[in-house]
Structures are given as C-alpha cells and as structure tokens.
Amino acid sequence: MSAERERVAGFGRMEDGLRQAGDWYRWGPYVSERQWGTVREDYSADGEAWDYLPFDHARSRAYRWGEDGLAGFCDVEQRLCLGLALWNGRDPILKERLFGLTGAQGNHGEDVKECWWYLDAIPSHAWNRWRYHYPQAEFPYADLLRENGLRNRTEPEYEVFDTGVFDDGRYWIVEVHYAKAGPDDLLIRVTVTNAGPDQASVHVLPTAWFRNTWDWDDGADKPVLAAAADQAGVPTVSVPHPFIGALELLAGPGPDGTPPELLFCDNETNTKLLFGTEPVSPYPKDGIGAHVISGAATVNPERTGTKCSAWYQLTVAGGQTAELRLRLRPANEGGVAPGAGVAPGANVARGADVALGADFDRVLALRQAEADEFYAELTPATCSADEAMVMRQAFAGLLWSKQLFYYDVARWLDGDPTQPPPPPERLTGRNCRWRSFDAFDIMSMPDKWEYPWFAAWDLAFHCVALAHLDPAFAKYQLILLCREWFQHPNGALPAYEWDFSDVNPPVQAWAALEVFAVDGGHDIDFLSRVFDKLLVNFTWWVNREDAEGNNLFEGGFLGLDNIGPIDRSHLPVGGILEQSDATGWMGFYAMAMASIALILDRSGQRPGTDLMLKFLEHFAAIREALDDRGLWDEDDGLYYDRLLTPDGEAVPVRVRSVVGMIPALALGVVDQGSIERSMVVGKRFADYLVGHDLALPDGSGGSYRSGGGGGSAAGASASAAGADGSAGPGGAGGLAGDAERNGQMPRGLVSTGMLRGEPGNQRLLLSLAGPDRLARLLTRLFDEAEFLSPHGLRALSAWHRQHPYTINVGGYQASVDYEPAESTTPLFGGNSNWRGPIWFPVNYLVISALERYHRFFGDDLTIEYPTGSGRRLTLDQIAVDLSDRLISIFTRGPDDRRPCFGGTEFLQADPAWRDNLLFNEYFHGDNGAGLGAAHQTGWTGLVADLIRRRHGEVRSIGDVIVDIVRHARR
C-alpha cells in the first residue's frame, strides 16, 4: 500500500466536523474561483446576483460567505487563504482572480475567458499542481466584453484564443505546486516560464489573507498578519491562525537573490471607491493592487493587516524559467523555542535556509514520488500512457474542485446585525422556504468558476469517480446532502443555490450503491445511513411530484435545461406536464432503494423484506402508469412528455431526446423467493406479475391470493441492483425480444423481462419498458442518424436537424431542432445545451446498464449495432464500444489530434498546450469538441472511472451483491 493510500485509509468522516476528519484534510484547494456573482453574495431586492457584486467590484469588496483566487489554497474552514496575483506591467488591474462574462454579457450565458488547468493532486493534498497561461500583452478584458456582446446566440463564442493575445508565444507559463511536509507545513513553489522569444518582466505576488469573519458580528475577533524579523534575509510573516495556532510564512529570495517586499492591506471593502462613503480602512482590499500598479499609498507602512503579498519583480529571458519558494509552517520550526535564550537569528536562520533549500527539495521530491506511486496503483496495466494521463488529470480536476460551501439561509435572508437590513422583498424571494439550510462544508463543485455551488444530481456522479480516490470523501458528499442541515424537513433535497426548490433527478440511491461497490462492498453502515434519509426523500417525491396521484411524475427541468421546446419548470400555458423522464427516474429510484434494502437484509444489518416489497410495489404502479396513461407513442416508438392544459387538452411533446429513454434505465432482477413471497402477500406487485403472465408455474412453490391480505414476507429477496442485473439503464426488453424470436423463452415471460435459471433458483428481469418498446428504443439509440455519434450518445436525436419540432398550444408556440454545439435559446441562462451534444452522465448510465444486462443474459443475446449495420454484438461489446467512444474524446486519435480541442490548432499541436486537458461540461454532438463550462471535471471526471472499468479494474455492484448473498447463505 502506498504512503498516500495509507493516509486515505486513515481519513475520518467530515460530516462529524471539518476539524475532526483528519489532519491531512486540514489544508486543501478549498477556495472558489468565483465568489462574485453568486447567490450567496447577493443582497439585492430583485435577485440579480450577477449585477449586485460584479467582477469589477470583486477586487475592492470584502466577501461575506467565501473567498476566491488564483491557485487558491486554504485551511478546512477557509480562515486563512493562500493564492497568487500577477501583473504583466500592462493590465489596468492585478490578475488576482479569473475573468469571465456574466450571463447577460456572454452570447451563450456566463463563460470564463482564461486558460488554466489542474494537472495533478492526491486526496490528502500533500501534492498538488496547478497551471495558468498569462499574456505578456495587456489582457483583452475590453475586447472580450465588446466582441461577445456583439455576437448573437447562433454565433460561436469569442474566446481568449481568438483575440491573438497568445500569438507568437508571448505569454507566461505559471505553475504553482503545493506540497505538505506535514499536516500544517505547506511548501509553495511558483515557477514562471517566459514562453516568448524575448526577455520580459512580470510581477508575481504570492498572497495570504484572512477571510473576513469580523465585519458581520459585534465584537468578533480580527486576526492580524504582521511582518516578523527576517530569518537570515528571508522575509517572514507572523500568522496567528484562529484554530491551528501560531504559524509563519517564509518568502524566499528571487532567482537573483533579491528578497521580495512584503505588502500589507486589509480585507475590507473600499467603501470610498464603491459607495463614496468614509473608508473602513485606509488600506482596503484592493490596496496592494493600487500600490503595485500606480504607487498609491494604499499599503500599510506598519506592515500589518489581514492581507499580505510577497512582491517579486522578475525579468526572465525568452524560454527561461524563474522559481520562487515560500513555506507556511508552525512558528519556531527552526528549532528555537520561545525564551530559549538563543542569540537572535542563529538557529532560526539555519532553519529558514534548510526550510527553503535542501529540505524543500527533499519534500517536493518525496511527495511527487508518492503521487506517482498512488496513481501507479490506480492505473490499469493494460491502458496506454495517453489513457493514464487522461485518467490522472481527470482525477486531479475532481480533487482541485473541492470548495468550502458556506451558506446559512436564515442569516442570509435576515441580514447581519452589524450591516444594513436586506431589502424586505428577499423574505419572499429566492430560497425563502429553506431557512433550515445551513451549510459550512467542503463540497465537490461541478466547476469552481462557472458553477461554484453544488448541484444535487451532479454531485452523485462526482462521488462515483471520487470513490476511486477517497471513498470517505465520496460517502461524505452523499450523506451530507441528506443531513438535517441540507435536506428540507419535508424530505426534499436542495437542488442548487439559484433555487433549492427546483428538482434534480433522484440518482442518490444509485450513486450510493456504486460508491459502496467501488469501496469494496464492506461499509454497510454507510448504506444504512443513506437509506434512512432517502426513504424520506422518496416519500416526498411520491407526495409532491405526482400531482394527479396516477404514478406519472412531474419535476420540471430535472437537470436537462433546454431539452424541450418549453421551460418544463414554468409551463407557459399552465396545467401539468407528465414527464417520461421523471416517471422513469422514479422507477430507477425504486429499484435502487430495493437493492439497498436487499443488501441491508442479506448482510444481517437490519430486516429489509418489507421495504424491498414496498419498492417493488412502487415499481409495479409506475410500470402500469407508463403502460396505460399515454406517454408511449406507438407510431414513433418513443416515450414523450405529455402536457395537460387547464382546459383538459392532452398534448404530447414529440421531441426525440433522452427524456424518452429514461424509463429504460429502471430495471432490476427479482429472484424466485421474492416472486413467491409477493404472491403470498397478494398486493400490487403480485397483480402486476399475474397481469403480465409472469407468475411462476404451478409447483414452483408460489401461490396467489386474489385481492389478498397483508403481512410481511420474511426472507424475500429482490435483487433490483443485484447479482445478475441492477437498477440502471439499458434495454432488457429488446434483448428479450431477440431471445423470444430465437425460441429461447416462452412468450408469457417476455412481457416485461426474462425468466432464467433452474427451478428453485429462477430470476426474472424487469424493466419499466416492456420488450417490444425496449427493442424500439434501442434501435433508435444506436442509430448513427439519430443518437449514436462517433464520441458517444447525443442527448437529442440528429433526426431533428432536418425535422424541427414545433409545439403550438394555447396560443404559445416554440420549436426544437438539433443543435450539436452551444445553445441558441436563453432557457436556464443559455449556457448549457441538451439539444444534441454528448453528456457524460446519461452515457455512463447506459453503459452501466448494458454491462448488467450482459451479466444476466451472457453471450446468448446480441443486438444490431450500429442500427442498420448488419453487425450483431453482445451487450458487453456494445458497452465497451460506447466507453471507447467517450474516452476517445480526450485521447489522441490516429490523426494525432484530441477531439476535445476541436479546431483550435495550437491546443492540438503546441507542446505547451497539447497535453493540458480540459474536462468540459458537454461535447459537440458531431465532432466531440469540448463545450460549455471548461472545468466541469465533476461528472465529466467519470472518464477516469470508465478507463479503470474498461480495463477490468473495478468490480460491479452485481459482483459485490453476489458476495454478500453467498456469505449470507453460509
């Protein structure tokens, strides 16, 4: 076991307290990349968060709920932050944070306009590597604003590459490495490489600052940074950390031996500049920037404050690199205890020399070697070097995307006692029904610039990938979402900060199963904790998202933004939208919960039979509703949403999209014991089995009591995500249809699944979509003219390229066509597009289901793939091909190009760029180019999981359940 794996094994549970989780968690990249423009910082009456605290205020205004910065690092409570500021001598402002456009400024919504990468990290954050490319010419702030403002939604975005600012290689390659010598001993190496041909100068300002925790309460303590005595010519800052104790920051000399100048100001709003009022401090938050750029007297001559920078002024020849070294460590690490009587500077000077010299080299080399060892354990022996690099950078992105998420909704709504009261409109505005929400937790963000807030269903996919690295942290995320300070008292889970009451797909139970399996299938207590809270959430769905009580569910946009022609969360003509995807997700949810109940029961953790049957009953009711209530279109062979208007009209929304595929995700395997016991109970699931001719033959030991009574069925065994199949996507029915045509199974057992096995040990495969429907769904899904692209499955059929769909109801008209790139509509901000691109989460679920179907059917079943090709493949072969298509987005093809870089030539060819990967939010439906949020290593980080699974390194949930069942039988 590697040194890092040993650290990971010792991690505690963060939900028990951030400080209690483990010493190695205490410092990490928990700083956001954009705090401005967030809901948390918005105290406006109209809820326009982008306008209330814009980018131009960020450098001058103290944040209330968190911090942001370049290469940000902080303690687990974000009391002390570390980051980087740069100035090329030409920009009007210091580069302290990443620049991007707001939702209104971008022609496709908000969009960051910078170039940076997360190149390496390990779970303990004992080793981390971050990279940024900074132009030597003036950064094109005005050009980016102007040109994007001129473009409409049908035009491509104007990116920083397009401005010419990186032409001729005239930019700085800035890398920041953080390494820990110990839990509170942090080494910081900054390298600055002149990529251009000529000598150039740059100002580099590594910065430490306290998050402002003192302006919001009367009498709150205010820590102060202060210059201490130099240690052998090494400038030193005294850091009184609020809960770690006395620290010191050493700032080593520049490459020419010149020490940096220490500059101090306060993390306080520049009220005079922004509001024309008396200054809180003569040395406000933007004081260091004003001093560096214009020589203003805005830094404290007493060399104290709550923000401090070490100012290095470097001149570097073309092609050369300068290195800077800093170290944050417990005070007196040089070996001199307070009052020891040692001559000033004697041993301390030696300590500083060693700390930034030989010991610095030793620790960096050791931690990098440990990181290499950690990833060598994770890397399949059969994968290529390029795949290994993709996997490692994807994992690094996940780890760098951790952030302190601090948001006390009641305090936010009511205001702080030392501040003016917020506008009264807020009390009935955004998140006003979520006063119980009170987060102060480290969370996995979808993207720390574009989405610097958690999203409930994104987070579930993050956890599956994170479980390979740090199972404790992955479990913490899933448990956290269900804790009493997150989950609403009514059972709802918060969706995302823009509207906690919005609804995301209920994928948490599935994710808990996958995390449980990746972790080896031993942590039954984790499943039990999640299960209890998700029972409440499942009940909330049944009570609140089924308006007619008919088991056809609503839910609104459900994470799919602009997938349809209308805003599914705010219907333009009123009424109710019965949703194929919401109904499918609930079947999926029911099967996952039945699977957890099975594991809890068979492991001996707690009785689970009654709850297994409860969820099978729900499944049966949902299946009946899908069969009978008009969501299936027999002519098109697809499920559609159905809009019920206030005047009683039922309007199908005939869009060929993944909405209509979601019901196929709800499948499971029920063993003979469960079938027999459900017959004894004689309720809806028994009626469902009999109605579909699925009751076992006479002599099997089962009996059916029509309209029968209640009672438990001890020993029942529903394997919804179990040994031979699982809650997840796929198309068992279509495969069953093939089997029937081959004469393998009696027709009666093909109605919704397949019965296999010897009498006494038979297993029935169930799916919300019956065999004929599944066969038709898969035929469309694997059609290259519709959903199947060279790089995965599209979210909307390419058929709509030539056949746009228009809905016309109640005087309202809207259209949908195939849009393989960015969105051309403003729905949900317009920065995400589900009308054609490739999205990882749905692709991942399809692959997972195909693998589980293959586990059930084996090589007996094949299906034509691609549709119309005449080539028949087994289901595991199709899953492998889909995995390879997704992985190929990032790897070099035969043409030596990475599809994710699209047509940006220097990304494809320049050695300084070509191996720095971006894990975008979604990908072009035709060519795989990366689109949307550029650092969505959240669910797109699933590519790392796919690479490991593709090479046989991960046990399936089915394997894990088999072990549990076998152990129980012994």
Side-chain angles (χ1 to χ4, degrees):
M1 181 184 291
S2 67
E4 177 63 13
R5 184 56 68 184
E6 288 182 3
R7 292 188 197 106
V8 171
F11 289 162
R13 299 192 316 198
M14 294 187 82
E15 72 271 14
D16 292 337
L18 296 181
R19 301 186 199 177
Q20 288 72 38
D23 292 346
W24 288 95
Y25 270 140
R26 198 147 50 233
W27 294 88
Y30 311 140
V31 181
S32 179
E33 284 164 349
R34 179 176 62 79
Q35 187 70 13
W36 62 272
T38 62
V39 166
R40 280 154 287 152
E41 299 296 337
D42 176 26
Y43 283 78
S44 68
D46 59 9
E48 292 294 334
W50 289 108
D51 295 336
Y52 181 79
L53 205 168
F55 175 80
D56 283 336
H57 283 202
R59 62 184 173 274
S60 305
R61 196 161 168 179
Y63 294 132
R64 171 62 179 88
W65 297 98
E67 295 291 335
D68 60 18
L70 297 178
F73 224 73
C74 68
D75 63 76
V76 77
E77 292 187 2
Q78 205 181 86
R79 298 298 191 93
L80 180 70
C81 301
L82 303 168
L84 188 67
L86 301 164
W87 187 48
N88 56 19
R90 296 176 173 86
D91 289 349
I93 59 175
L94 277 189
K95 176 66 69 176
E96 295 181 274
R97 56 186 49 79
L98 298 164
F99 170 73
L101 306 181
T102 69
Q105 291 168 341
N107 61 325
H108 297 116
E110 64 266 29
D111 187 35
V112 66
K113 302 296 184 182
E114 302 269 17
C115 301
W116 82 103
W117 301 266
Y118 313 121
L119 294 184
D120 212 1
I122 53 178
S124 69
H125 297 293
W127 172 256
N128 315 266
R129 182 180 168 209
W130 177 94
R131 180 174 174 128
Y132 174 67
H133 288 183
Y134 182 45
Q136 293 178 4
E138 182 177 345
F139 192 89
Y141 295 107
D143 185 26
L144 288 164
L145 280 166
R146 180 179 58 254
E147 182 60 31
N148 279 284
L150 293 173
R151 298 191 178 194
N152 60 40
R153 294 188 181 277
T154 65
E155 296 177 282
E157 295 170 359
Y158 185 62
E159 304 292 359
V160 67
F161 320 118
D162 302 321
T163 67
V165 76
F166 292 111
D167 291 354
D168 302 320
R170 297 182 187 277
Y171 59 91
W172 298 100
I173 299 172
V174 181
E175 289 210 9
V176 179
H177 301 140
Y178 292 103
K180 296 180 186 177
D184 298 313
D185 189 349
L186 190 61
L187 285 64
I188 309 161
R189 178 172 65 185
V190 181
T191 61
V192 183
T193 300
N194 182 352
D198 303 320
Q199 179 176 286
S201 296
V202 65
H203 300 248
V204 182
L205 296 95
T207 302
W209 70 100
F210 286 117
R211 177 170 59 86
N212 189 323
T213 58
W214 51 87
D215 277 347
W216 326 113
D217 288 292
D218 290 316
D221 291 334
K222 180 178 180 178
V224 176
L225 302 166
D230 288 0
Q231 301 183 28
V234 174
T236 303
V237 180
S238 173
V239 182
H241 194 281
F243 66 85
I244 295 175
L247 304 175
E248 61 184 13
L249 178 64
L250 308 176
D256 62 355
T258 302
E261 181 181 355
L262 297 181
L263 305 176
F264 292 82
C265 67
D266 291 313
N267 188 8
E268 299 279 6
T269 298
N270 188 337
T271 53
K272 183 176 181 180
L273 173 70
L274 296 179
F275 310 117
T277 60
E278 285 299 312
V280 176
S281 166
Y283 317 112
K285 180 179 176 180
D286 54 11
I288 291 173
H291 178 77
V292 169
I293 292 173
S294 65
T298 49
V299 294
N300 191 342
E302 300 297 321
R303 301 208 301 169
T304 66
T306 50
K307 180 179 177 181
C308 170
S309 293
W311 183 13
Y312 295 88
Q313 302 180 55
L314 306 179
T315 298
V316 185
Q320 298 302 303
T321 298
E323 179 178 325
L324 309 175
R325 294 184 171 192
L326 301 93
R327 189 163 184 166
L328 178 71
R329 64 181 187 175
N332 302 301
E333 283 289 300
V336 181
V342 177
N347 288 343
V348 176
R350 184 186 63 79
D353 288 344
V354 172
L356 297 174
D359 191 60
F360 200 97
D361 293 332
R362 179 190 65 81
V363 172
L364 283 175
L366 176 63
R367 296 300 181 234
Q368 184 169 5
E370 290 174 351
D372 292 342
E373 182 185 28
F374 176 75
Y375 281 109
E377 291 178 343
L378 285 170
T379 303
T382 54
C383 82
S384 68
D386 202 29
E387 287 178 318
M389 186 191 75
V390 171
M391 184 194 77
R392 185 162 175 170
Q393 287 193 33
F395 279 144
L398 281 164
L399 293 172
W400 269 97
S401 295
K402 296 177 183 177
Q403 178 187 310
L404 177 74
F405 188 80
Y406 179 24
Y407 188 20
D408 177 345
V409 170
R411 182 75 176 261
W412 177 76
L413 288 170
D414 297 336
D416 296 307
T418 60
Q419 302 296 314
E425 293 89 340
R426 291 162 49 80
L427 297 177
T428 56
R430 177 176 288 129
N431 296 333
C432 65
R433 299 178 182 271
W434 285 81
R435 283 182 167 271
S436 59
F437 188 93
D438 184 10
F440 188 77
D441 298 278
I442 303 297
M443 301 196 71
S444 177
M445 298 293 115
D447 179 309
K448 288 205 296 186
W449 193 94
E450 195 144 341
Y451 305 113
W453 30 261
F454 76 91
W457 85 304
D458 297 54
L459 188 61
F461 292 99
H462 301 187
C463 292
V464 175
L466 282 165
H468 296 267
L469 301 167
D470 184 355
F473 185 76
K475 295 172 196 174
Y476 161 56
Q477 299 297 283
L478 290 170
I479 291 171
L480 181 61
L481 200 62
C482 299
R483 289 303 296 263
E484 54 274 17
W485 58 88
F486 268 68
Q487 187 173 29
H488 196 280
N490 66 16
L493 298 181
Y496 50 89
E497 71 171 24
W498 287 93
D499 186 355
F500 282 149
S501 293
D502 219 330
V503 183
N504 277 182
V507 292
Q508 287 72 33
W510 163 82
L513 284 167
E514 292 294 337
V515 168
F516 171 75
V518 171
D519 188 37
H522 307 299
D523 195 348
I524 304 295
D525 288 343
F526 157 69
L527 278 187
S528 181
R529 293 180 71 194
V530 170
F531 184 74
D532 288 341
K533 289 301 186 76
L534 291 181
L535 277 172
V536 181
N537 178 248
F538 189 94
T539 304
W540 174 84
W541 266 90
V542 172
N543 291 338
R544 296 292 297 274
E545 298 299 329
D546 178 12
E548 298 294 302
N550 60 8
N551 292 297
L552 293 182
F553 289 83
E554 303 91 50
F557 92 118
L558 282 176
L560 303 184
D561 293 60
N562 65 345
I563 193 77
I566 59 176
D567 181 344
R568 301 195 304 166
S569 292
H570 306 93
L571 301 179
V573 295
I576 295 170
L577 186 68
E578 295 178 330
Q579 296 180 219
S580 294
D581 55 341
T583 305
W585 285 124
M586 281 302 288
F588 179 87
Y589 198 177
M591 281 298 186
M593 291 293 280
S595 301
I596 297 176
L598 165 68
I599 293 171
L600 297 178
D601 183 78
R602 290 301 183 92
S603 67
Q605 203 274 351
R606 59 199 276 189
T609 298
D610 292 350
L611 287 170
M612 282 190 289
L613 289 179
K614 163 189 168 63
F615 290 111
L616 290 177
E617 294 279 306
H618 279 292
F619 174 85
I622 293 167
R623 169 61 199 268
E624 289 174 0
L626 274 175
D627 282 350
D628 302 337
R629 307 273 317 172
L631 297 191
W632 175 258
D633 188 291
E634 187 62 33
D635 292 334
D636 291 352
L638 286 167
Y639 290 102
Y640 292 133
D641 289 350
R642 186 173 66 162
L643 178 62
L644 305 180
T645 66
D647 61 7
E649 184 182 7
V651 182
V653 184
R654 290 191 170 91
V655 178
R656 299 184 182 183
S657 74
V658 293
V659 166
M661 301 294 176
I662 300 301
L665 305 184
L667 59 99
V669 174
V670 180
D671 69 10
Q672 185 166 335
S674 296
I675 297 172
E676 292 170 354
R677 286 165 178 80
S678 69
M679 292 301 201
V680 171
V681 174
K683 296 297 183 181
R684 173 168 266 164
F685 186 62
D687 292 336
Y688 164 79
L689 293 174
V690 171
H692 290 85
D693 196 18
L694 294 175
L696 294 175
D698 290 341
S700 65
S703 61
Y704 174 60
R705 208 170 50 212
S706 179
S712 67
S717 169
S719 183
D724 306 285
S726 92
L735 305 176
D738 284 347
E740 181 198 6
R741 285 189 289 274
N742 292 334
Q744 297 171 340
M745 292 290 165
R747 174 173 292 275
L749 296 183
V750 177
S751 299
T752 52
M754 182 74 75
L755 189 70
R756 294 173 72 85
E758 298 300 321
N761 190 32
Q762 292 178 311
R763 294 160 290 113
L764 179 67
L765 180 65
L766 301 174
S767 172
L768 281 187
D772 295 334
R773 294 179 181 182
L774 274 165
R776 297 182 69 184
L777 287 171
L778 290 178
T779 296
R780 288 208 185 278
L781 195 63
F782 298 146
D783 188 339
E784 292 174 306
E786 294 221 30
F787 290 93
L788 184 61
S789 85
H791 301 290
L793 300 170
R794 304 176 177 104
L796 184 138
S797 172
W799 182 83
H800 285 296
R801 194 193 320 256
Q802 302 299 327
H803 306 89
Y805 170 75
T806 299
I807 187 171
N808 202 329
V809 58
Y812 177 85
Q813 180 174 305
S815 298
V816 168
D817 61 3
Y818 175 68
E819 301 172 8
E822 289 92 351
S823 172
T824 62
T825 76
L827 281 180
F828 289 88
N831 62 328
S832 296
N833 183 26
W834 285 83
R835 297 182 176 184
I838 301 153
W839 290 76
F840 261 73
V842 176
N843 273 266
Y844 184 87
L845 291 176
V846 171
I847 290 167
S848 177
L850 292 173
E851 291 171 342
R852 288 161 176 161
Y853 277 126
H854 178 74
R855 183 182 179 87
F856 184 84
F857 291 109
D859 294 340
D860 294 341
L861 288 172
T862 62
I863 191 168
E864 188 178 43
Y865 179 88
T867 300
S869 67
R871 182 180 66 163
R872 303 187 70 83
L873 298 179
T874 58
L875 302 184
D876 64 329
Q877 290 173 326
I878 295 173
V880 164
D881 182 75
L882 286 174
S883 294
D884 287 344
R885 290 177 188 237
L886 291 169
I887 293 167
S888 75
I889 290 173
F890 304 99
T891 55
R892 293 198 175 283
D895 59 357
D896 201 36
R897 297 172 69 86
R898 301 187 192 277
C900 60
F901 289 155
T904 307
E905 291 305 318
F906 69 89
L907 292 180
Q908 296 285 7
D910 191 318
W913 299 77
R914 69 198 304 261
D915 291 330
N916 305 328
L917 300 180
L918 295 174
F919 297 88
N920 290 79
E921 182 181 6
Y922 55 94
F923 300 87
H924 196 289
D926 295 335
N927 60 40
L931 300 166
H935 291 75
Q936 185 103 354
T937 334
W939 58 27
T940 303
L942 285 167
V943 68
D945 173 278
L946 286 176
I947 289 170
R948 298 199 75 228
R949 290 181 191 270
R950 173 69 178 84
H951 292 276
E953 294 293 315
V954 183
R955 300 183 71 219
S956 71
I957 182 64
D959 289 333
V960 171
I961 293 179
V962 164
D963 287 349
I964 292 171
V965 171
R966 286 175 179 166
H967 180 77
R969 287 173 179 168
R970 289 199 295 269

